[in-house]
Amino acid sequence: MKEFLEWVRDWFGSEISGVELFPSGKDKIRACSPEAKVEISNVFLRGVYVAKRAPYGFIISIEGSFLIGRSAKKHLVDLSESDFKKWMRGDDIELKLPEKGVYIVRYGEAFAGSGYYDGRVLRNLIPKVRTLEREG
Amino acid sequence: MEYGIPDDLIKPEFERRYRELLGDEYETFLSFMAKRPVPSVRINPMKVDPGWLLSVLRASGWELSQIPWYEHGYRVMRGPERLGNTEWHQLGLYYVQEAASMVPPVLLSPKPGERVLDLAASPGSKTTQISEMMRYKGLIVANDVSPERVDSLSSNVQRMGSMNVVITMFDGRRAPDVLGRDSFDKVLLDSPCSSLGEVRRSWGALVRWSPRNVEKISRLQVSLAKAAYETLKPGGLMVYSTCTFEPKENEWVVYKLLQIGAVIEEPEVKGLIWRKGLRKWMDWDFGKEMEKCMRIYPQDNDTIGFFIAVLRKPG
C-alpha cells in the first residue's frame, strides 16, 4: 500500500484520505470505508477495486479515477466531447501529452478511468465491460 | 386479448382474488399492469454534481421529470432507448431504477456512519442508493444467496463506487448466526416475492403466479423477516418490502413480526400516493396497526407495485 500511495502522491500530486486501502489478490488494490474494514464471516467482496499493478506503475480503475482525480494536480487529461465518446467506446486517443505514463481521464466533472500514453496515443485501459456496446 | 394482457395469463383465481381486493378499481389496475412504466434513473451525487449531469443530459435531448420522493430520482420522459448503454451509466453516474423502488431506502433513512444490513440485496439498486445516502460512510452488509445474484450485485456496487459495502453470500435465514444478533442500526429486507408488481416490466410473474407458490414464498419471507429482525439493535429500524400485492407475502409477514415484538411506524413519503395496509383479508384479522403499512398500486403513481412496512425494535 505504501508503494501505491507514494506513486499516487508523486505521479498525480494527489492524497488519498478517508478510505482504507488493501491488497486484493496478487496485483489489485481495493478501497473501502474505515467502518467496512470490520471482521465479518462469509465475505464475498469488500469495497471497490481502485487500481492494479502494471509495468509502468498502476492502472487506475474508473472508481479509482474518481478517488484520485479530484485532487490530482498533474497527469490528468481533459478530453473533448468527441474524444470522450470515442474513449467510452474503448478506442485509444491520439493526442500530445507532456510525457509517457499513466493519465487519469476526465470529461467535464466526470472521471473516466485511466490510460497509458506511449508518446503517440493514449492507450485505453477501461475494461471492455465498462465501455459502450457498439450498436448494430 | 383483454386490457392488453393475454386472457390466458389471467388465471380465474387471480381474477377472483384481485376483484375482491380492488373492487371497482380492478379494471384500472389491470390496464396499468399492461402498460410499460416510464423508465427512471437515480443520479449518483457521490460521483458527480447532479446539476452538471442534468445539464449535460438535457443538452443532449433528454427530457427529465423529478421524482417527488427522492431528490436524485428522475423519470426519463425522453431519452436513449437503452439507458444502460450510455457513457454516464457506464461511469456509474446514474443507476436505472424504477421510481417506486427508490421508496424503501427513503423510509430506511440511512445516515453516514451507521451499520446497515441489506439482507436480499441483489442486483443492488437499493444497496447503492443506501450507500449514496450514507455518503459512502459507515457500513452496509449487502447479502444474497447465490453466486449469480452476488455477481450482479458486485458489478453494480463497483460501478456505483459504493465503498462502504461489504458483500456477503449466505442463506439470509442464517443471518443472526452469521452476522450476530442485535448488531445493525438499520435493516432492509426487500424480500424475494411473487413479483406481481413487476408485471408492467414482464408478464412472467403472471405465468408463475398460483396460490400454492404464494404460500411457499410466504413461508420463506416469514423466516427471512424474523432473521432480519433478530440482527437489528434494540431501538433499530427495519424496512420490509416486496414488489407484490399478495397479503400473505405482505401483511401476513408483518403480522408475524408484530407477534415477536416489532412495532409498526407510520411512514411519511413526500409526494407519494399510497393505500393503507389491509386490516382484514380472507379469514385473517391483522388488526388496525396494519393500516400503517404502505400499499402502492401501479395506478397510484404510474409506477410498478410495492408493499412497504417500517418496523422498530423496542429498546
Side-chain angles (χ1 to χ4, degrees):
Chain A
M1 282 322 95
K2 196 175 159 211
E3 184 194 350
F4 175 65
L5 285 170
E6 280 174 5
W7 181 79
V8 166
R9 195 175 300 127
D10 291 349
W11 189 253
F12 296 113
S14 180
E15 294 289 341
I16 298 177
S17 61
V19 297
E20 295 277 333
L21 295 169
F22 56 97
S24 173
K26 206 172 124 211
D27 296 325
K28 285 189 173 176
I29 293 167
R30 300 181 69 86
C32 69
S33 66
E35 297 88 343
K37 206 69 203 293
V38 68
E39 273 294 314
I40 295 175
S41 48
N42 296 64
V43 170
F44 182 83
L45 268 181
R46 193 186 300 270
V48 298
Y49 154 59
V50 293
K52 184 180 170 186
R53 187 184 295 278
Y56 40 78
F58 290 86
I59 295 169
I60 308 298
S61 74
I62 291 173
E63 284 57 51
S65 71
F66 279 87
L67 186 65
I68 297 165
R70 282 183 177 136
S71 60
K73 293 170 188 69
K74 52 190 177 171
H75 300 116
L76 184 64
V77 55
D78 284 295
L79 296 184
S80 64
E81 187 179 349
S82 61
D83 278 349
F84 172 63
K85 287 190 183 299
K86 285 185 205 160
W87 180 256
M88 290 307 297
R89 285 198 298 264
D91 294 348
D92 297 335
I93 306 292
E94 243 180 86
L95 37 69
K96 279 259 174 271
L97 292 171
E99 60 180 322
K100 289 181 182 177
V102 177
Y103 285 75
I104 283 177
V105 172
R106 181 170 62 182
Y107 172 70
E109 293 201 6
F111 292 94
S114 62
Y116 176 73
Y117 183 61
D118 63 8
R120 193 181 62 84
V121 296
L122 186 66
R123 301 244 170 247
N124 198 317
L125 299 175
I126 299 187
K128 195 164 183 296
V129 70
R130 298 290 294 274
T131 60
L132 296 187
E133 279 178 38
R134 290 170 196 264
E135 306 287 340
Chain B
M1 294 278 283
E2 189 185 5
Y3 313 112
I5 298 177
D7 288 348
D8 57 351
L9 287 186
I10 307 287
K11 294 169 185 159
E13 175 57 17
F14 178 92
E15 179 166 352
R16 191 197 65 72
R17 201 179 273 215
Y18 282 88
R19 279 197 187 279
E20 186 181 335
L21 186 65
L22 292 152
D24 292 349
E25 273 193 272
Y26 176 72
E27 290 179 9
T28 311
F29 166 75
L30 269 198
S31 70
F32 271 83
M33 292 275 270
K35 282 197 301 189
R36 300 282 295 176
V38 176
S40 48
V41 296
R42 195 191 80 235
I43 293 178
N44 180 356
M46 291 302 290
K47 276 197 166 182
V48 71
D49 171 4
W52 179 81
L53 183 61
L54 286 170
S55 67
V56 170
L57 297 178
R58 285 179 171 136
S60 41
W62 292 43
E63 194 182 313
L64 298 157
S65 160
Q66 179 147 28
I67 293 167
W69 50 88
Y70 187 61
E71 66 172 319
H72 301 303
Y74 292 85
R75 290 183 201 260
V76 183
M77 311 309 287
R78 191 176 67 225
E81 200 170 316
R82 293 176 62 200
L83 290 170
N85 190 39
T86 71
E87 304 87 326
W88 321 113
H89 176 272
Q90 294 300 68
L91 293 179
L93 306 194
Y94 70 72
Y95 194 110
V96 183
Q97 184 176 356
E98 216 286 329
S101 151
M102 298 176 198
V103 177
V106 168
L107 286 167
L108 194 70
S109 184
K111 304 285 184 297
E114 286 182 334
R115 282 173 65 95
V116 176
L117 170 63
D118 185 356
L119 191 57
S122 184
S125 49
K126 298 176 190 72
T127 306
T128 53
Q129 184 183 351
I130 291 167
S131 175
E132 288 151 28
M133 293 170 82
M134 294 169 76
R135 306 192 60 75
Y136 294 167
K137 291 182 166 64
L139 167 70
I140 303 168
V141 175
N143 181 68
D144 222 304
V145 68
S146 68
E148 299 76 35
R149 295 184 65 77
V150 164
D151 274 349
S152 62
L153 173 61
S154 305
S155 307
N156 285 320
V157 164
Q158 174 70 36
R159 185 171 61 82
M160 301 308 282
S162 306
M163 292 199 198
N164 58 341
V165 174
V166 176
I167 297 173
T168 56
M169 187 171 72
F170 60 86
D171 185 328
R173 290 173 288 191
R174 294 172 48 229
D177 296 332
V178 176
L179 300 172
R181 290 166 174 76
D182 302 342
S183 48
F184 291 92
D185 300 300
K186 294 193 173 151
V187 175
L188 171 66
L189 175 58
D190 184 48
S191 185
C193 67
S194 56
S195 303
L196 287 176
E198 295 262 14
V199 165
R200 295 188 71 177
R201 297 204 284 208
S202 155
W203 292 344
L206 280 177
V207 176
R208 290 187 297 273
W209 183 88
S210 73
R212 198 174 156 195
N213 279 346
V214 168
E215 285 297 322
K216 194 174 155 193
I217 298 172
S218 172
R219 282 194 291 277
L220 171 65
Q221 288 160 332
V222 169
S223 304
L224 283 170
K226 284 182 174 175
Y229 184 74
E230 272 195 62
T231 67
L232 197 60
K233 286 178 184 172
L237 193 79
M238 172 170 161
V239 169
Y240 174 77
S241 60
T242 70
C243 57
T244 196
F245 313 108
E246 284 293 329
K248 198 70 196 278
E249 299 182 57
N250 294 326
E251 284 86 351
W252 171 258
V253 178
V254 174
Y255 180 66
K256 288 290 175 186
L257 289 176
L258 298 190
Q259 285 180 336
I260 58 170
V263 176
I264 310 190
E265 298 207 337
E266 187 92 44
E268 257 183 65
V269 181
K270 188 181 143 199
L272 181 78
I273 297 167
W274 55 281
R275 322 293 180 91
K276 291 174 178 174
L278 304 177
R279 201 169 159 174
K280 290 183 177 174
W281 176 247
M282 293 178 163
D283 297 333
W284 304 303
D285 186 342
F286 300 123
K288 187 165 171 50
E289 281 293 282
M290 208 56 70
E291 292 183 349
K292 291 177 182 167
C293 296
M294 187 179 254
R295 284 186 157 260
I296 303 169
Y297 291 112
Q299 65 270 31
D300 293 339
N301 307 277
D302 197 3
T303 62
I304 63 167
F306 252 88
F307 171 90
I308 310 168
V310 181
L311 299 139
R312 178 85 59 187
K313 188 185 239 185

